[in-house]
Amino acid sequence: MFDAKSIRNCEEYIISIQRRIDKAVADNNTKSIRQNFDLLTKRSKAVREYATWKITRNNKGKYTAGVDGVALPRGETIDKQNLFRQRILQNIDIFAKPNKIRRVYIPNTDGKKRPLGIPTIHDRIVQEIYRIALEPIAEYYFHDHSYGFRPKRSCHDAMNHIYNKLAQGKRFRYIIEGDIKGCFDNINHQHILNTLDEWHTPNWAIEYIAKILESKIYHNGEVYDAETGTPQGGVISPLLANVALTSLDNYCDKMHRNSNPIIRYADDFIIVVKSEKQGKEVKQEVADFLQKHIGLTLSEEKTQITHIRKGFNFLGFNVRKYQTHNTKTGEKFLIKPEKERVKSALREWGKLIKRHIHIKPRTLIQLLKPKMIGWAMYYRFSVSKQTFNKIDHEIWRKLRRWAKRRHPNKPKYWLIGRYFDYPRGNLRQIFTDKETGETMPQLAEIPIKRFIKVEAGKRVYDSDPDTIRYWEQREYTNAFGQIWGVKINRLFSHQRGLCYHCKTPIKPDEIKNERIHIHHIIPKAIGGTDAYSNLRVVHEDCHKDIHHKELSKQLGEPCAVKVARTVRKGL
């Protein structure tokens, strides 16, 4: 039931119903909205199976229990975990009163702590079911310039929008850096419910979402009422926050129809204006609107009006116009990695290197490589080549110290010969495992690319064939852009972006979060090689299914022998 192919089939079915809802919303057909919404939430087994799988397999908090103490068991076999999922699936009740939410506090980037709400596994699955049904309705009404926590949109879309808005000409010179005090904790419940009602969401669903919003908070043995806000940590919370803040998007659009000044990613937003005077006026108007309609307050200290030449930070990037004599306008607009993010990454990786002084070079490379590449792939769409070179140099220095601490009595030339090499004619010393030839990644080798922003007016669940092809092509392009490495790049291109096992597209987030694997058709244990003809790219869960099912259940004779026979017959 919870194998990869059945989950992909469930996902395809869900998307087909979501497209029906999108069409019903576009046609203002409230009866069809209600019927398809009911189908997804009340009657569809596929949705329940998919929601259970997603919460207990892909969700980061799958091992974290709510107030009932129930969580996915760690270290168990796939069969035992599936039995756990089966028991959860059988007891799903989409009308059950939500349990209390366990509150914990986690460190924030500024050193402070922020509250996080942890619903029970059952409540998370129910929230996911409602989110699946509500998303196509909300997506129809969401503003084009909202990019956070939405399907097929990302931080890079927001940054590209900023570039398009500010790079050309001298019309917009000032930025309002919006900061909302405790956005998720203070949103007015009634505003969310009224908005959902205006969007023709079924009344019974609105009533249940009200119960989710009003779930009591449990902390340190005490229970608190939740009169405002949608707790961070809830599956449906980001969607409901976007529902609330869409009115802000529409207000700014109406206020300045010709310029569309707001660019928003969840509760972080900027507004571009022509002058400091206009900035002060718009800031006050936005503050009044947020307070009156959504129950939110702008932070006076953190909401600043900044000249573009001074620059500002947004989503981990630094955005600024520099004076230069090399252009006609005398200015050059650049988006770079934020300095504090660079320092933070180097501190984290430095601690990791220092902490693992006794492990093999190969293991250290395997620990650092995904972190470094993941970080660099996020920033490869900005002006980051110089930053990548700096990081390579700093990591090289830290690794030199690591080698020296391991062998304090060895001379410099011995350490270089033992741990460093000049692979592929490289003039720079590169940390290398001499047994396997595996090297530490060089971020400067990652090519810098231009990100293409999502087209305005394109709806994710639109059933128009041209729109469907647009999203498919965009998903392939974005996934391909997340790949770094000749081997996987070539395999991905050869398979046209499809998983070898389930034949469905490999998504950009799956590559970014390292949920794709390289599969050996003939296992290396029985003579398979690393030749391209023997390799295929598969989803992580598909890879587990291949080995779990084909080797553990379906084969009656020794696994290795039968796999080899089956593959060779196919060849």
Side-chain angles (χ1 to χ4, degrees):
M1 176 178 289
F2 292 103
D3 61 279
K5 284 192 176 180
S6 66
I7 292 300
R8 306 296 175 199
N9 291 336
C10 290
E11 193 173 12
E12 289 179 5
Y13 169 78
I14 289 168
I15 291 173
S16 69
I17 305 301
Q18 287 175 318
R19 285 178 177 151
R20 285 194 215 167
I21 293 177
D22 176 89
K23 186 177 186 307
V25 176
D27 295 340
N28 200 27
N29 188 339
T30 54
K31 181 179 179 181
S32 181
I33 294 173
R34 185 175 63 254
Q35 288 175 342
N36 286 290
F37 195 100
D38 289 0
L39 176 60
L40 281 178
T41 51
K42 295 180 180 179
R43 302 198 298 274
S44 173
K45 293 181 180 179
V47 176
R48 297 184 179 213
E49 183 178 335
Y50 177 78
T52 303
W53 173 86
K54 186 173 180 182
I55 296 301
T56 60
R57 190 155 188 173
N58 281 354
N59 192 272
K60 291 181 180 179
K62 60 188 175 183
Y63 298 120
T64 306
V67 293
D68 60 356
V70 177
L72 185 72
R74 290 179 182 270
E76 294 289 357
T77 64
I78 292 177
D79 287 334
K80 287 187 177 180
Q81 288 189 348
N82 283 341
L83 283 175
F84 171 83
R85 295 184 179 102
Q86 186 64 38
R87 289 195 296 271
I88 292 288
L89 181 63
Q90 291 171 351
N91 295 318
I92 290 176
D93 182 0
I94 66 165
F95 297 109
K97 182 180 178 181
N99 290 284
K100 293 184 285 292
I101 296 173
R102 183 164 73 91
R103 170 154 289 180
V104 297
Y105 288 86
I106 60 174
N108 213 345
T109 53
D110 58 3
K112 298 180 181 179
K113 291 187 176 182
R114 61 186 176 91
L116 187 70
I118 304 176
T120 63
I121 290 283
H122 174 272
D123 288 349
R124 278 176 252 174
I125 293 171
V126 171
Q127 286 188 28
E128 176 64 14
I129 292 171
Y130 279 93
R131 186 200 65 77
I132 288 170
L134 183 60
E135 190 169 73
I137 299 176
E139 278 294 320
Y140 182 88
Y141 290 101
F142 284 165
H143 201 282
D144 278 336
H145 300 161
S146 164
Y147 300 100
F149 301 117
R150 296 183 61 187
K152 303 187 189 301
R153 285 172 168 82
S154 68
C155 299
H156 299 107
D157 286 298
M159 298 312 300
N160 192 273
H161 188 170
I162 291 173
Y163 180 87
N164 293 339
K165 200 72 179 175
L166 296 173
Q168 305 301 324
K170 298 184 178 181
R171 186 179 179 191
F172 298 106
R173 309 298 293 171
Y174 287 85
I175 306 296
I176 302 173
E177 302 175 63
D179 186 275
I180 301 173
K181 284 185 179 179
C183 177
F184 281 82
D185 294 325
N186 296 300
I187 291 175
N188 184 284
H189 289 173
Q190 196 57 48
H191 173 71
I192 294 175
L193 302 177
N194 291 342
T195 303
L196 293 176
D197 184 55
E198 291 173 8
W199 294 352
H200 305 298
T201 307
N203 290 333
W204 67 267
I206 295 176
E207 291 173 3
Y208 190 82
I209 289 171
K211 293 179 182 178
I212 293 174
L213 291 170
E214 295 165 0
S215 297
K216 294 184 180 297
I217 306 297
Y218 177 83
H219 180 60
N220 287 340
E222 297 185 12
V223 178
Y224 305 91
D225 290 330
E227 297 179 355
T228 60
T230 173
Q232 296 185 60
V235 177
I236 203 171
S237 294
L239 177 65
L240 295 180
N242 271 333
V243 168
L245 291 172
T246 295
S247 59
L248 172 64
D249 302 334
N250 294 333
Y251 174 74
C252 290
D253 190 21
K254 184 178 180 181
M255 184 171 54
H256 296 277
R257 185 170 297 276
N258 294 327
S259 57
N260 294 324
I262 189 168
I263 300 167
R264 184 174 64 82
Y265 189 93
D267 58 334
D268 294 322
F269 67 90
I270 67 164
I271 300 177
V272 294
V273 291
K274 299 175 183 178
S275 65
E276 187 173 8
K277 179 182 176 181
Q278 186 189 26
K280 291 179 180 179
E281 294 173 354
V282 171
K283 177 184 172 182
Q284 188 59 50
E285 290 173 357
V286 168
D288 294 342
F289 178 85
L290 284 171
Q291 182 65 55
K292 181 179 179 181
H293 296 277
I294 313 180
L296 297 174
T297 306
L298 274 185
S299 170
E300 284 295 329
E301 303 80 22
K302 296 182 179 180
T303 302
Q304 301 176 355
I305 301 171
T306 309
H307 194 282
I308 190 60
R309 282 191 179 170
K310 182 180 178 183
F312 64 97
N313 296 325
F314 190 65
L315 302 179
F317 295 89
N318 179 261
V319 183
R320 185 178 173 187
K321 263 189 177 177
Y322 297 83
Q323 286 184 292
T324 179
H325 301 292
N326 300 328
T327 61
K328 293 181 180 179
T329 61
E331 295 178 323
K332 192 171 185 179
F333 182 81
L334 298 178
I335 298 178
K336 300 180 178 180
E338 184 184 334
K339 287 184 179 180
E340 189 52 46
R341 296 292 183 99
V342 177
K343 292 178 182 177
S344 176
L346 285 172
R347 280 195 300 268
E348 178 190 344
W349 301 337
K351 288 178 182 178
L352 188 147
I353 292 170
K354 191 173 182 179
R355 191 167 60 246
H356 294 90
I357 190 171
H358 298 299
I359 63 176
K360 292 183 177 181
R362 177 177 67 255
T363 309
L364 184 59
I365 291 170
Q366 291 169 350
L367 284 173
L368 269 175
K369 189 174 184 177
K371 295 180 181 294
M372 292 177 63
I373 292 179
W375 190 92
M377 296 305 282
Y378 180 79
Y379 288 105
R380 73 182 303 194
F381 301 105
S382 63
V383 183
S384 51
K385 182 64 75 175
Q386 186 177 357
T387 301
F388 289 173
N389 271 309
K390 177 184 176 182
I391 289 174
D392 287 340
H393 179 70
E394 289 297 319
I395 293 297
W396 171 81
R397 290 179 61 234
K398 294 177 188 297
L399 291 168
R400 285 283 297 270
R401 290 197 294 270
W402 176 88
K404 184 64 177 176
R405 284 196 298 270
R406 281 171 70 96
H407 308 281
N409 299 322
K410 294 292 185 181
K412 180 179 177 180
Y413 70 86
W414 187 93
L415 295 174
I416 293 174
R418 175 68 177 83
Y419 293 110
F420 295 87
D421 206 345
Y422 298 89
R424 302 182 299 276
N426 203 312
L427 297 178
R428 175 185 288 175
Q429 293 175 8
I430 297 178
F431 187 78
T432 305
D433 179 69
K434 295 302 178 72
E435 294 180 7
T436 63
E438 191 171 359
T439 61
M440 191 65 73
Q442 299 300 291
L443 303 190
E445 295 179 359
I446 296 177
I448 305 302
K449 293 190 174 183
R450 176 76 182 274
F451 188 86
I452 307 300
K453 189 178 83 70
V454 63
E455 287 186 16
K458 293 288 187 182
R459 303 197 309 275
V460 172
Y461 299 109
D462 192 345
S463 54
D464 175 65
D466 290 338
T467 303
I468 293 173
R469 280 193 295 272
Y470 167 80
W471 288 118
E472 289 175 348
Q473 181 59 42
R474 178 176 172 79
E475 193 164 71
Y476 172 81
T477 303
N478 286 348
F480 193 78
Q482 286 289 331
I483 295 173
W484 181 71
V486 176
K487 181 175 289 186
I488 194 170
N489 195 307
R490 181 173 169 182
L491 291 170
F492 184 86
S493 179
H494 177 72
Q495 294 172 209
R496 299 182 180 179
L498 301 180
C499 172
Y500 167 72
H501 181 61
C502 67
K503 309 302 181 188
T504 60
I506 295 172
K507 300 176 182 177
D509 285 346
E510 291 169 332
I511 297 173
K512 178 182 176 182
N513 297 321
E514 298 175 353
R515 295 206 299 268
I516 62 166
H517 289 178
I518 294 180
H519 169 62
H520 290 77
I521 300 175
I522 301 176
K524 294 181 75 173
I526 57 170
T529 68
D530 288 329
Y532 283 105
S533 58
N534 191 48
L535 302 177
R536 296 293 184 271
V537 178
V538 295
H539 293 107
E540 178 187 42
D541 49 314
C542 288
H543 202 198
K544 291 178 181 178
D545 280 351
I546 291 171
H547 290 288
H548 178 65
K549 287 190 172 182
E550 294 183 4
L551 300 183
S552 302
K553 294 183 177 181
Q554 297 177 4
L555 305 181
E557 56 185 291
C559 300
V561 177
K562 193 161 185 177
V563 167
R565 288 179 182 172
T566 305
V567 171
R568 288 185 182 120
K569 284 180 182 178
L571 294 175

